[in-house]
Amino acid sequence: MADAVAAHDLMRTFDDGTGIRGVDINVAPGEIHALVGLNGAGKSTLMRLLLGMLKPDRGAVTIAGRNLGQADWTAVGHLVDYPLAYRELTCRQNLVLGARLHGVTAAVPAIVDAAIEELHLGQYADRRADKLSLGNKQRLGLASALQHDPTFIVLDEPTNTLDPAGVILLREALLRRSRTGAGVLVSSHHLDEVARVADRISVLNAGRIIGTLDPHGIDIERSFFDLVHSDDTAP
């Protein structure tokens, strides 16, 4: 079975010298692959490249074995940077629109109801998006990214603004989907949280993958900083 996503020798540099430099990365079906790094390491840039939001200077990306121009985007769910929601629409209306945009044509009301229940948005279902707290806007964005049961999921810092209850709901949602075969790529600053769900953790620094961490390691935070320090001080 083809990887949910695979990238080889991916490069994209910007005028200020930052960017992604020769990255190889993949996510297998049923795998939760976490991407960690300091601010500015290139996590968001890498995710945008994998989703075709940015064009690489070099390298190739495939989703489920297809290049980006031929990929089935209805099988992809993502939340990168900030939740996409129309301010004047309610939660429910935003989710209906999101389902349609992801190619859902049947049983949309039932799918939307399930997403509302999964992320505990019931009391906000008929509230306009511009009246939601930041945490509930994030829940709405996650619900929209996950409701169509994508086989490849990309989430950039998804626990930002979530309260502890929201973090647990997201964790359970990702584990459920990985168990049914979805490949998940998730970035985070919260090492302890990704260690709870990740099958594999890759460390990105200065635009390069510099190593991996054991999700079951005893002191994962120390291991992370040791890797980054060694890379930063290498001749």
Side-chain angles (χ1 to χ4, degrees), residues 26-67:
N26 74 298
V27 181
E31 176 185 38
I32 299 178
H33 188 159
L35 187 66
V36 299
L38 300 176
N39 287 337
K43 301 185 298 297
S44 296
T45 297
L46 177 55
M47 289 183 159
R48 291 190 192 103
L49 288 166
L50 296 177
L51 291 166
M53 296 176 176
L54 288 174
K55 184 177 179 180
D57 299 326
R58 188 180 74 207
V61 179
T62 59
I63 292 178
R66 300 179 180 180
N67 64 43

Side-chain angles (χ1 to χ4, degrees), residues 1 14 17 25 29 39 43 57-58 62 70 73 77-78 89 91-92 103 105 131 159 169 189 201 203 229:
M1 185 180 296
F14 301 102
I25 192 168
N39 287 337
K43 301 185 298 297
D57 299 326
R58 188 180 74 207
T62 59
Q70 299 174 327
W73 292 102
H78 67 84
L89 299 183
C91 279
R92 187 182 304 278
T105 58
K131 303 299 183 183
T159 58
L169 289 173
H189 289 102
I201 302 175
V203 180
H229 178 73

Side-chain angles (χ1 to χ4, degrees), residues 6-233:
H8 175 66
D9 196 26
L10 207 56
M11 176 174 283
R12 172 64 188 258
T13 55
F14 301 102
D15 291 342
D16 62 0
T18 61
I20 295 298
R21 298 174 175 82
V23 166
D24 294 335
I25 192 168
N26 74 298
V27 181
E31 176 185 38
I32 299 178
H33 188 159
L35 187 66
V36 299
L38 300 176
N39 287 337
K43 301 185 298 297
S44 296
T45 297
L46 177 55
M47 289 183 159
R48 291 190 192 103
L49 288 166
L50 296 177
L51 291 166
M53 296 176 176
L54 288 174
K55 184 177 179 180
D57 299 326
R58 188 180 74 207
V61 179
T62 59
I63 292 178
R66 300 179 180 180
N67 64 43
L68 295 185
Q70 299 174 327
D72 178 8
W73 292 102
T74 65
V76 178
H78 67 84
L79 180 55
V80 176
D81 290 333
Y82 55 87
L84 176 61
Y86 290 93
R87 294 167 49 87
E88 69 276 14
L89 299 183
T90 66
C91 279
R92 187 182 304 278
Q93 290 168 336
N94 269 290
L95 289 171
V96 168
L97 180 59
R100 297 294 191 193
L101 291 173
H102 282 112
V104 178
T105 58
V108 171
I111 288 170
V112 168
D113 285 344
I116 288 170
E117 181 178 356
E118 182 174 44
L119 273 298
H120 290 197
L121 285 166
Q123 63 181 311
Y124 310 106
D126 298 311
R127 185 175 298 183
R128 283 174 41 144
D130 61 354
K131 303 299 183 183
L132 298 176
S133 67
L134 290 177
N136 284 322
K137 285 180 183 176
Q138 186 75 350
R139 289 196 194 196
L140 173 59
L142 291 166
S144 185
L146 299 175
Q147 66 177 339
H148 58 294
D149 287 332
T151 55
F152 175 42
I153 300 166
V154 183
L155 302 176
D156 187 17
E157 300 286 353
T159 58
N160 279 357
T161 74
L162 290 182
D163 60 13
V167 172
I168 292 171
L169 289 173
L170 174 61
R171 182 194 310 160
E172 293 172 344
L174 295 183
L175 289 171
R176 275 194 294 271
R177 284 161 176 77
S178 68
R179 285 194 290 266
T180 58
V184 180
L185 180 66
V186 56
S187 75
S188 181
H189 289 102
H190 303 294
L191 292 169
D192 56 340
E193 179 56 33
V194 297
R196 293 175 183 269
V197 298
D199 301 293
R200 185 162 41 131
I201 302 175
S202 293
V203 180
L204 191 70
N205 190 52
R208 297 172 295 107
I209 300 289
I210 62 170
T212 61
L213 300 173
D214 179 2
H216 308 295
I218 295 174
D219 193 346
I220 190 171
E221 188 174 85
R222 182 184 181 90
S223 298
F224 167 75
F225 282 109
D226 284 347
L227 263 177
V228 171
H229 178 73
S230 295
D231 185 61
D232 286 344
T233 57

